[in-house]
Amino acid sequence: MAYLAPIHRPSSVRHALKIRLLEPDADCLVVAKANRLEIYAQHHEGITLAHTKAIYGKVTMLEKLQFAQSPTEHLFVGTDRYMYFTLSWDNESQQLCTQKTYIDQSDKTSRDSQTQDRCHIDPTKQFMALQLYDGIVTILPLIGKGKKKGPSEAFSLGEPVPTRIKEFFVRSSCFLYPAETADAGPRLAILYEDNHQKVCLSIKRLDFSHGGAGDPGSANLIDLAARDDLELGASHLIPVPAPAYGLLILTESTIAFIDDATGELTNKPLDEPAIFVTWAEMDAQRWLLADDYGRLFLLMLVIGNHKTKSFQIHTIGNTSRASVLVHLGSGLVFVGSHQGDSQVFQIQEGGIVLVQNLPNLAPILDFTVMDMGNRSGETQSNEYSSGQARIVAGSGAFQDGSLRSIRSGVGMEEQGLLGEMNHTSDLFPLASSSGKAHSDILAASFVDETRVFRFFSDGEVEELEDFMGMSFSEGSLWLSNITGNRLLQVTSSRVMILDLDSGMVTAEWSAQDASPITVASAKEERLVISTGGSEAIIFDLTRDLHIVARRKFSQEGQISCIHVPTICPDICVVGFWQGASVAILSISSLETLRKAVMSDNAVNVPRSVALTQLIADEAPTLLVGMANGEVVTFSLSLTGFELGFRKATILGTQGPAFKILPRSGGLSSVFAICEHSSLIYGSEGRIMYSAVTAEEASCVCPFDCEAYPGAIALATSKDLRIALVDTERTTHVQTLKVNATVRRVAYSPKLKAFGIGTIYRELKTGYEMIQSHFKLADEVMFKELDSHTLYSDELVESCIRADLRDGSGEIVERFVVGTAYMDLDGQDVVRGRVMVFAVTPERKLQVVSELATMGACRALDVIDGNIVAALVKTVIIYSLNAPNLTKLATYRTSTAPIALSVSGSEIAIADLMKSVSVVSYTRPNHPGGSHCLIEVARHFQTAWATAVAHVDDHTWLESDAEGNLMVLKQNVAGVTADDRRRLEIVSEIQLGEMVNRIRTVEVEQSGTAVVVPKAFMATVDGSVYLFALIMPAKQDLLMRLQQAIAARVQSPGNVPFNAYRAFRNSVREAEEPFRFVDGELIEKFLDCPAMLQESICKELGLKEQVDVEDIRTMVEGLRRIH
């Protein structure tokens, strides 16, 4: 059974509109990103996200309506499942509410629209027209709710009425503004291509008859006018309102205007050709136009005597390639893009100014997993989190193309580097006087010294040779400011209190028997230390180190860690080596108030403790870092000091060290330092663990100085830095702008470099020029190192990093590139090349071998040190014997292989039309023998495959062009040979997005794991998903939990979950997902009220009653993995 969870949600924007949805008098922007709606509030500096909501279906259309007795406008949404519904905003719940349940318009006998689904509302506000199928227009009447009729009246949707038209391949359509009385009926203009590939225009009048009770009525579109003298490049119709009244037609070389009154056609040639892709109305005389090359135009009609005299068009700037334009008012325009970042521009005299940039990863054409939290390539033994993986993706297209580094976790932005410092053991923030509002002194402790740095308000830093009598000749265990303008320093040999006014030591203490001080912690008026590891001593800091209490722990054993909390000054928390226990002691007497044994394993002992307020309005949280990398949390009652709600989470293999970082509202977060450092914080009433993007952190401390407010100081094994850390987990994207389509990406850990195949497009004097390159880019600096230019008619198709046999028996690292030629109509039989690149010590590309092929090389992989190349109709294995590539074996595919996945001696081949086949590679048993590729398994159903990956023994994950995911398993235990050759579907689901690439990951599973991550997937809409296999013991539980949650969690439009996630392609359609768990739905359990959670658990139907807390803990663990 399979599990699916999103790491990065879709970011491609295809639909957007301005609507008064949240407030009656305030416009907002609604943006559709695949299956999500995002609502943005407008302000003078751009837009801010106000709300987001998942939709059960991919959004294909948006429109706004005004319903009866509603002060705000309602949102009409259409999905790819032909389900439609209207939504409104509920101010009380701050949620979207369904006003009109969905209308299923699916028609099994009709052909889907070959261009796009369209939705129009006629200017009289009487009808809505939907174009979903070729040759059919569906009319929905807007039924008035008042006695007085008028355009501003509130309406509700009537029943849909289909009507047929003879126009099939529709390029554009719109309702015309009525120049005459409304009694003439709405007019619909249709721009279409006829059977002779001529572009024609048809104008029709809608004749609609309302039916009686139970009768939806009838509709007919009557031809009024037609013309076939339009340019072949005509693409868009724009209705022109009063006073001009007419129709604008956008073509590649001209802009035409048809006068509504006279029917006269006026053409204006463009200065240079343009492929227009979208438009937006500014007012009755001005429109914004966007073309395929990212140019933004302003079109203006010049009107005199209520007639159009002329029109002008000007280029006002360059943007991302727009999918949709929305004029927000006050000169602000939103550019929604599928191929690049979405943007907000301010239109000014002379051009446009970028106001805001909204990152977009779509489309992700290829990606590689750069690391899994380390660079050694070893498998992970800790509990997996996607924050350990850095994904580098080729995003965008053409001028919007880029290479993007994606990492999910808590981000850190470096502010400054203090210099190289090896083996820092601890950091402490200090203030040079008690009147300082910010820290201005940073102390760094080392094994045998302490160094102090002063920070000035302008950011300058000075290292001090002495500071207030501090001891610099030994490392510090504790340093802090205390009351009375004094400083406390604890070293392994003594405790000192220093006066900040005089710089004199006012009090000093050391053990009489010279026992070393091992750990220390202080807050406010108390200091707690451990001497010799077995004795604890409490000092009163207001009485010059007067000893309040001391206690030897003979039975408990040596003390491993001490923490004096700020939120509860009456206690201290102590961890012990022997017994692996933690005790809560009285700060005045060292009396044991509460004790907890942490582990039965004597080796697994507490190494760090912290008590702080992570979650608002709840009990403080006690965190214990164990030697095996585990973090154990308790909720602590401040009255009876009871410990409850114990939970354990594995962060790594080393004992984490804790540092408390302050947050707003009296809350704190905890920085856990280990090989995979994490930030522990409270969110939505739960404790969250998120990987931190900083690598190799050895110690951390909060450092709120004037030059860097809210910063932290962070030391690695090599240097000391100042950085800003996020308060919670987000997705962090680093961008290398390439200005070309990044078609393929390969990563070399050894070279610390990427190999990327790019396609550059440029428009020169009206001609489109295409050029492909293979580039080498540095991993650290994220910049280009070298580039190899391909032939002018050649495109890069595939690229891998490979360890190959070089003919002498040695294994060498190479980049392998597959290409295709664009001129497929030429007489040349060569259709592509396979090229092998070496990287020189100067980090330059060098071609060591190339081979012309009879077909385009769509995919590459490596098997047994040899190259596997997927050509059209054929898969071939080549051996490298520089400068030659020698053919070893071939396999004939059904149509065209599109992706490869090698595991051991088996190659899974994803075919363009015929799903997946598996072949086995066999080397010759004797010299002179032949290499063989033999088919051992096949999936016999039709599927337009896009990617394939090996995820388990005899198990493969396949994606298709219709947004489905299938897990295929070879029936190796079949009775007959045919049974054993069959790939059976063991899990399937409708993802709703087309997957472009699947990359496998190797993660060592822990004994308590619920799921085992197996692969990442990247989609055309910019999403990144985690695919995992569910452990057998949890399969039934998760399936029942998914079913119970789906029955209780309503989606917008009340669309059933099973219908949304059910497999669907052109051949068959299922009723529900099969043995596939949607992680996004499962995680909604945490957002349910407590009573609903209990109800869900009671109805799981298991033999043993499941505790709500156990389910909550399990789901929290599932959320942490992504």
Side-chain angles (χ1 to χ4, degrees), residues 425-663:
S425 60
D426 212 340
L427 297 171
F428 305 96
L430 302 172
S432 58
S433 67
S434 58
K436 291 279 187 180
H438 298 274
S439 299
D440 61 345
I441 301 293
L442 177 64
S445 176
F446 301 85
V447 176
D448 56 355
E449 66 173 339
T450 299
R451 298 171 66 177
V452 172
F453 302 87
R454 181 188 293 273
F455 283 72
F456 297 94
S457 58
D458 59 358
E460 291 293 322
V461 183
E462 175 190 7
E463 183 172 3
L464 305 179
E465 295 183 359
D466 60 77
F467 179 68
M468 301 300 175
M470 274 180 52
S471 173
F472 282 12
S473 60
E474 51 188 333
S476 297
L477 299 175
W478 187 267
L479 276 166
S480 65
N481 291 92
I482 57 176
T483 57
N485 200 27
R486 296 176 301 163
L487 183 69
L488 173 66
Q489 181 182 19
V490 181
T491 69
S492 60
S493 61
R494 53 181 171 164
V495 179
M496 294 185 295
I497 294 181
L498 312 169
D499 183 72
L500 291 178
D501 292 327
S502 62
M504 302 293 292
V505 177
T506 60
E508 183 175 351
W509 180 93
S510 59
Q512 294 182 355
D513 57 357
S515 298
I517 302 173
T518 54
V519 289
S521 179
K523 287 293 183 297
E524 301 296 333
E525 302 176 353
R526 292 290 189 267
L527 165 68
V528 182
I529 67 170
S530 172
T531 59
S534 60
E535 184 180 25
I537 304 175
I538 298 179
F539 296 92
D540 187 344
L541 300 179
T542 62
R543 299 167 58 188
D544 292 336
L545 297 179
H546 172 74
I547 296 178
V548 177
R550 60 196 309 164
R551 176 182 173 185
K552 274 192 172 289
F553 293 90
S554 54
Q555 294 182 352
E556 291 84 351
Q558 291 194 330
I559 296 172
S560 60
C561 49
I562 294 176
H563 173 65
V564 180
T566 304
I567 58 174
C568 187
D570 297 331
I571 62 171
C572 64
V573 185
V574 178
F576 297 96
W577 290 97
Q578 283 79 13
S581 61
V582 170
I584 298 174
L585 309 177
S586 168
I587 198 71
S588 58
S589 63
L590 288 176
E591 176 189 356
T592 301
L593 304 176
R594 191 69 56 187
K595 185 177 179 180
V597 177
M598 305 304 301
S599 173
D600 296 333
N601 187 349
V603 179
N604 188 21
V605 298
R607 299 298 302 270
S608 183
V609 289
L611 177 63
T612 189
Q613 191 76 42
L614 294 179
I615 305 173
D617 302 323
E618 291 194 14
T621 301
L622 173 64
L623 300 96
V624 183
M626 305 298 291
N628 65 346
E630 195 175 47
V631 175
V632 182
T633 61
F634 299 90
S635 65
L636 177 67
S637 169
L638 295 182
T639 54
F641 303 110
E642 295 284 344
L643 295 173
F645 299 104
R646 173 173 175 158
K647 294 181 181 179
T649 303
I650 299 176
L651 292 187
T653 58
Q654 303 171 5
F658 298 140
K659 275 298 178 78
I660 298 175
L661 305 179
R663 296 180 67 183

Side-chain angles (χ1 to χ4, degrees), residues 31 93 127 157 416 476 495 559 580 709 716 726 819 836 896 899:
V31 174
S93 63
F127 300 97
L157 280 174
S476 297
V495 179
I559 296 172
T716 69
D726 291 343
T819 71
V836 181

Side-chain angles (χ1 to χ4, degrees), residues 794-905:
E794 189 178 23
L795 295 179
V796 62
E797 288 279 1
S798 52
C799 167
I800 61 168
R801 183 214 67 87
D803 291 323
L804 302 177
R805 302 179 189 274
D806 66 350
S808 64
E810 294 185 5
I811 300 295
V812 293
E813 184 178 43
R814 297 288 185 260
F815 284 107
V816 186
V817 177
T819 71
Y821 290 109
M822 291 185 287
D823 184 16
L824 298 181
D825 297 328
Q827 299 300 318
D828 196 345
V829 295
V830 175
R831 291 290 180 263
R833 283 192 298 170
V834 176
M835 308 176 67
V836 181
F837 290 89
V839 179
T840 66
E842 294 78 24
R843 307 191 83 181
K844 300 294 182 182
L845 292 171
Q846 178 183 354
V847 179
V848 297
S849 181
E850 65 175 279
L851 176 70
T853 60
M854 302 290 289
C857 183
R858 304 294 188 190
L860 291 165
D861 213 319
V862 180
I863 187 168
D864 194 27
N866 299 315
I867 299 172
V868 185
L871 311 182
V872 174
K873 281 281 188 181
T874 311
V875 174
I876 303 178
I877 296 181
Y878 295 104
S879 65
L880 174 64
N881 189 4
N884 300 317
L885 288 173
T886 305
K887 184 189 297 185
L888 299 180
T890 63
Y891 168 77
R892 191 76 169 171
T893 60
S894 299
T895 57
I898 204 72
L900 300 171
S901 178
V902 173
S903 175
S905 62

Side-chain angles (χ1 to χ4, degrees), residues 172-223:
S172 182
S173 60
C174 66
F175 277 109
L176 299 180
Y177 287 94
E180 302 174 346
T181 61
D183 294 337
R187 291 171 299 158
L188 183 67
I190 299 176
L191 182 70
Y192 68 99
E193 184 179 323
D194 67 8
N195 294 332
H196 303 288
Q197 296 185 340
K198 293 181 63 176
V199 179
C200 308
L201 175 67
S202 175
I203 298 178
K204 302 175 181 292
R205 178 174 59 85
L206 175 61
D207 183 13
F208 189 89
S209 298
H210 293 276
D215 183 7
S218 63
N220 190 23
L221 287 170
I222 303 170
D223 291 330

Side-chain angles (χ1 to χ4, degrees), residues 935-938 940 970-984:
E935 181 176 301
V936 295
R938 174 182 288 273
F940 289 94
Q970 184 180 1
N971 185 14
V972 293
V975 177
T976 66
D978 285 343
D979 290 339
R980 291 189 290 273
R981 288 187 63 244
R982 213 170 273 279
L983 289 177
E984 300 175 344

